[in-house]
Amino acid sequence: MHPLSHIRSEIRRLLEEKESVLVAIDGNCTAGKTTLADKLLTEFDCNVFHMDEFFLQPHQRTAERLSEAGGNVDYERFLEEVLTPLSRNEAVTYRPYDCQVQALQTPVSRPKKKLNIIEGTYSCHPSFGKPYDLTVFLTVSPEVQRQRVLKRPEFLHQRFLEVWIPMEEQY
């Protein structure tokens, strides 16, 4: 069975059995996490939350914090604004972080849905415990990852290769 077919089948099974379903799609950068989440979004009535919207704000970036595996993510805010309401089967309002302007943006509200998908590296950070009904981990070889990084905007290449990928490997 194709991995995508297996994931879809597992989600359908969980939706039949449970009042609400929480799925995490974690893995290496450029491994296809966002693409997978987008495919699932076209097939299921769900919310998708992106870990990229929960990076630390500049004032939170201490050497100590950035030395932690996954420490560049504001996991405290993610837990408070997303995972806690989802655990209570409630609507979610959160403040996405915009890396371009280095600031939190206007709050975004998402209605209560039976299926919620958390997409992004660090979505299974140990500080979250084990809230997920299904976890998917995507990986890609270092060669393919490098090729895909080099297809992204040039100003990001150095950050991917020297900062983000090494941090993910530590995670």
Side-chain angles (χ1 to χ4, degrees):
M1 178 184 283
H2 188 275
L4 181 56
S5 297
H6 179 72
I7 293 165
R8 288 175 173 141
S9 295
E10 187 63 14
I11 290 173
R12 283 190 200 96
R13 182 189 67 76
L14 288 165
L15 288 169
E16 289 175 9
E17 295 176 2
K18 300 180 65 80
E19 181 180 333
S20 65
V21 175
L22 187 57
V23 175
I25 303 172
D26 202 333
N28 304 96
C29 64
T30 76
K33 300 175 301 295
T34 303
T35 300
L36 175 58
D38 289 345
K39 286 180 181 181
L40 296 173
L41 184 59
T42 65
E43 186 168 337
F44 295 97
D45 179 25
C46 63
N47 290 314
V48 174
F49 299 93
H50 302 279
M51 292 304 297
D52 286 355
E53 295 180 325
F54 290 89
F55 286 122
L56 292 178
Q57 299 171 68
H59 73 273
Q60 295 173 295
R61 297 177 193 162
T62 64
E64 180 181 41
R65 179 60 178 257
L66 293 176
S67 70
E68 297 175 21
N72 58 326
V73 170
D74 190 344
Y75 45 81
E76 298 91 350
R77 185 169 62 85
F78 181 75
L79 183 62
E80 177 185 331
E81 294 183 359
V82 177
L83 285 181
T84 297
L86 290 178
S87 73
R88 296 189 292 237
N89 203 20
E90 298 173 352
V92 172
T93 298
Y94 68 99
R95 299 160 295 153
Y97 179 74
D98 185 332
C99 293
Q100 300 251 334
V101 297
Q102 301 281 304
L104 295 177
Q105 299 300 293
T106 304
V108 172
S109 293
R110 299 280 178 85
K112 178 178 145 181
K113 299 262 183 162
K114 188 169 181 171
L115 174 61
N116 293 280
I117 298 171
I118 311 302
E119 174 278 321
T121 305
Y122 310 115
S123 59
C124 293
H125 193 279
S127 67
F128 303 145
K130 298 193 182 284
Y132 301 110
D133 301 295
L134 175 65
T135 56
V136 177
F137 188 87
L138 301 180
T139 189
V140 65
S141 72
E143 298 80 28
V144 171
Q145 184 179 51
R146 183 172 179 75
Q147 291 169 2
R148 290 178 179 177
V149 163
L150 295 177
K151 290 179 182 175
R152 297 202 174 179
E154 189 174 345
F155 74 94
L156 293 174
H157 295 173
Q158 185 175 1
R159 296 282 294 166
F160 269 107
L161 298 171
E162 296 177 10
V163 179
W164 297 328
I165 291 172
M167 288 184 87
E168 289 176 8
E169 292 302 318
Q170 181 186 4
Y171 167 68

